[in-house]
Amino acid sequence: MARRLGTLLWGCSRRLGSVAFSQQKWTSSVSTQAKMPPCDFAPEKYKSYSYERMLKIREQNISPSLRTYYKKPLLLHQGHMQWLFDYEGRRYLDLFAGIVTVSVGHCHPKVTMATQKQLFRLWHTTNIYMHPSMQEYAEKLTSLLPDPLKVVYLTNSGSEANDLAMFMARLYTRNFDIICFRGAYHGGSPYTLGLTSIGLYKHGVANGFGCSTTMLPDVFRGPWGGSHCRDSPVQTVRKCSCSEGVCHANDQYIEQFKDTLNTSVPKTIAGFIAEPIQGVNGAVQYPRSFLKGAYQLVRERGGVCISDEVQTGFGRTGSHFWGFQTHDVVPDIVTLAKGIGNGFPMAAVVTTKEIASSLAQNLHFNTFGGSPLACAVGAAVLDAIEEDGLQKNSEDVGTYMLLELAKLRDKFEIVGDVRGKGLMIGVEMVKDKDSRQPLPAEEINQIWEDCKEMGVLIGRGGLCSQVLNLWLYIKLIFIQS
């Protein structure tokens, strides 16, 4: 069953491609040796150390906390748009996008050209001086956000951005406590680990004081959920009797949120942080109106609302450029990373002038944030998204992919849920649909390995690594006629 499902995932993905496919209709008889779609790009010949030496260096000189995927770890050599090539020249379709980071394609020519141009002009000067690319990028980025989100602080990583957002929230409100969802991932720094509520990332040392978790409004795995809750082309198989405009699950999860406010935090709080769609936990979506209700409750307590757009931003959800827009809310602080630089290490915090001013009471400095090179890359990414029509591509291809994957859910007992929006998709694997217990690790590992052997790279998510994450990057695929 596991191998059959892995084959079907490949079959579904091979119906999609930015290059032409064979017009022969895919069937379930496709083998694990299915022919890869054609590609007109030829990678350079690999000339570095042998695979065995690379493994030895990894064991001896790289921190053991940096784990590799797969029984035989990949040694990747080159990338081109949706493709990755290993040291032997084998080609892989990248459906994980470097953990939802490559937003417009590996080595996108427009981004590469802009990077090269800036490299020859100016690599680095600190932000105590003005340089054109920083001001140009700040104006371009903030023009894409609604009022009053018009002030940006550029950083280097998502963890750093969320760390700074927490700091700003506490400075501005003069309160301390911050609420987050169980199952959330907001970073791995000692500060943000208080917001990250996945046991695998927790270490046995004190961290994240003043962070309280609240029930995750998960309409598939949580106690409440129905067949109309999510903003997604695919709903859960759970039934509900809600009338139009009424969501029983949303009402129950809001009551749980109120309970957290009444029992776990003071009467005034610093804020609430949430991803519009939970990423690391496996593309978990909330009831459509939940964030709007939660934001109102947080603001009544004096707190600010933080939207973590590290994975959902830059058109990935398709219908909107920012994930929070799909919930019809405007946060007070937005954090950005990953896709912002298409793999270049950069991130940002965007907020209001009033909140940003709280940080100016004393010195707060970042050596590399907003460097000339980073800003040139960031601007080129925004240009590529607009010029290549990638937000619309996310919506069209994501919808197609979700509906095709839903057919697998209807056919196989171990496919419990298909969810997501745009090119951010999760497929939750279960023992059976009635119990919703996670599929045993050895079985889901086999599916994962099978997909890799077929040339398809996908991610893993969920508290038990039971969700197959298809974090397709925006440029990855176009539907063929």
Side-chain angles (χ1 to χ4, degrees):
M1 174 63 78
R3 179 169 292 275
R4 177 85 180 277
L5 184 59
T7 303
L8 284 169
L9 283 171
W10 163 241
C12 187
S13 67
R14 77 188 294 264
R15 289 286 304 279
L16 310 164
S18 64
V19 292
F21 276 73
S22 167
Q23 294 301 308
Q24 181 179 3
K25 186 177 180 181
W26 171 84
T27 68
S28 60
S29 62
V30 173
S31 72
T32 56
Q33 300 301 315
K35 185 179 179 180
M36 291 282 280
C39 175
D40 58 3
F41 178 82
E44 299 173 1
K45 185 177 180 180
Y46 178 78
K47 296 180 180 179
S48 190
Y49 301 148
S50 69
Y51 183 85
E52 290 72 23
R53 184 174 179 186
M54 288 293 190
L55 279 180
K56 187 174 182 180
I57 293 172
R58 184 87 183 195
E59 293 171 359
Q60 294 181 346
N61 303 116
I62 305 295
S63 171
S65 66
L66 300 176
R67 304 176 185 179
T68 55
Y69 273 12
Y70 304 115
K71 294 175 182 177
K72 182 181 179 182
L74 286 172
L75 176 54
L76 297 173
H77 163 54
Q78 195 167 356
H80 174 72
M81 301 309 288
Q82 70 265 42
W83 304 110
L84 286 169
F85 300 84
D86 69 11
Y87 71 107
E88 295 178 313
R90 185 179 181 190
R91 179 162 47 103
Y92 297 88
L93 180 63
D94 185 6
L95 299 191
F96 198 32
I99 313 181
V100 69
T101 297
V102 181
S103 54
V104 298
H106 293 286
C107 303
H108 190 291
K110 295 174 185 176
V111 180
T112 300
M113 186 177 297
T115 305
Q116 291 173 335
K117 187 176 180 180
Q118 187 62 47
L119 279 170
F120 282 103
R121 182 184 297 128
L122 180 66
W123 280 34
H124 173 77
T125 183
T126 74
N127 47 47
I128 61 173
Y129 309 120
M130 288 199 296
H131 55 82
S133 58
M134 184 174 184
Q135 279 67 232
E136 291 168 359
Y137 180 63
E139 182 181 57
K140 180 174 289 191
L141 178 63
T142 56
S143 71
L144 297 170
L145 287 128
D147 289 327
L149 299 168
K150 296 298 177 182
V151 182
V152 61
Y153 192 113
L154 296 166
T155 65
N156 305 290
S157 74
S159 292
E160 187 180 353
N162 282 331
D163 194 284
L164 181 58
M166 295 173 69
F167 191 41
M168 283 183 173
R170 285 167 169 165
L171 285 174
Y172 176 71
T173 63
R174 297 298 177 183
N175 299 322
F176 191 66
D177 290 76
I178 297 177
I179 297 172
C180 59
F181 284 138
R182 293 168 199 151
Y185 180 85
H186 296 291
S189 66
Y191 216 23
T192 57
L193 273 176
L195 302 177
T196 292
S197 184
I198 299 175
L200 184 64
Y201 294 93
K202 295 290 190 179
H203 296 267
V205 295
N207 61 74
F209 295 113
C211 299
S212 297
T213 63
T214 191
M215 179 182 284
L216 173 63
D218 182 348
V219 298
F220 171 71
R221 187 163 290 284
W224 304 286
S227 53
H228 305 286
C229 298
R230 297 193 295 220
D231 178 20
S232 173
V234 180
Q235 300 293 328
T236 71
V237 296
R238 300 174 76 171
K239 304 300 180 183
C240 67
S241 56
C242 297
S243 58
E244 186 176 352
V246 175
C247 181
H248 173 72
N250 180 72
D251 295 343
Q252 293 297 319
Y253 286 120
I254 285 293
E255 287 302 313
Q256 288 296 312
F257 194 80
K258 289 178 180 177
D259 186 64
T260 298
L261 289 170
N262 291 332
T263 61
S264 301
V265 294
K267 292 182 178 180
T268 57
I269 61 175
F272 164 61
I273 185 170
E275 305 159 87
I277 300 174
Q278 273 197 348
V280 173
N281 198 22
V284 175
Q285 293 180 278
Y286 329 127
R288 298 172 193 267
S289 300
F290 180 85
L291 282 187
K292 180 175 283 191
Y295 274 27
Q296 180 179 342
L297 293 170
V298 168
R299 287 166 174 157
E300 289 172 358
R301 295 288 187 117
V304 298
C305 300
I306 305 169
S307 183
D308 181 337
E309 296 280 343
V310 170
Q311 297 195 31
T312 53
F314 300 95
R316 181 168 295 279
T317 64
S319 63
H320 297 79
F321 202 79
W322 307 111
F324 66 78
Q325 293 171 315
T326 68
H327 295 272
D328 192 25
V329 296
V330 177
D332 304 293
I333 302 174
V334 178
T335 58
L336 311 169
K338 289 187 181 290
I340 191 174
N342 202 49
F344 190 90
M346 64 180 299
V349 178
V350 184
T351 187
T352 68
K353 186 175 182 179
E354 291 74 21
I355 295 175
S357 295
S358 65
L359 194 64
Q361 297 171 14
N362 290 292
L363 184 64
H364 190 278
F365 182 72
N366 189 306
T367 300
F368 296 105
S371 74
L373 192 56
C375 291
V377 171
V381 169
L382 293 179
D383 289 342
I385 292 172
E386 180 181 6
E387 293 167 11
D388 295 352
L390 300 185
Q391 181 180 330
K392 182 64 164 58
N393 183 70
S394 287
E395 182 173 27
D396 292 345
V397 176
T399 299
Y400 176 88
M401 196 77 167
L402 281 160
L403 293 175
E404 289 297 303
L405 289 167
K407 295 176 183 177
L408 302 187
R409 180 201 61 188
D410 296 341
K411 186 174 183 178
F412 291 95
E413 184 68 14
I414 61 172
V415 184
D417 195 32
V418 172
R419 55 181 177 256
K421 188 173 175 65
L423 294 182
M424 189 171 182
I425 299 171
V427 181
E428 181 151 354
M429 311 301 290
V430 296
K431 289 182 178 179
D432 58 79
K433 288 183 173 67
D434 290 334
S435 71
R436 286 175 284 166
Q437 293 183 10
L439 190 70
E442 60 272 15
E443 293 189 44
I444 197 167
N445 285 343
Q446 185 62 60
I447 297 169
W448 196 43
E449 293 281 349
D450 284 349
C451 288
K452 176 243 189 180
E453 291 304 310
M454 288 183 277
V456 180
L457 304 182
I458 60 178
R460 296 273 294 278
L463 299 182
C464 300
S465 295
Q466 81 278 16
V467 183
L468 302 176
N469 286 342
L470 306 180
W471 271 203
L472 326 175
Y473 53 74
I474 297 174
K475 183 61 180 178
L476 176 65
I477 45 184
F478 292 94
I479 298 176
Q480 296 302 303
S481 59

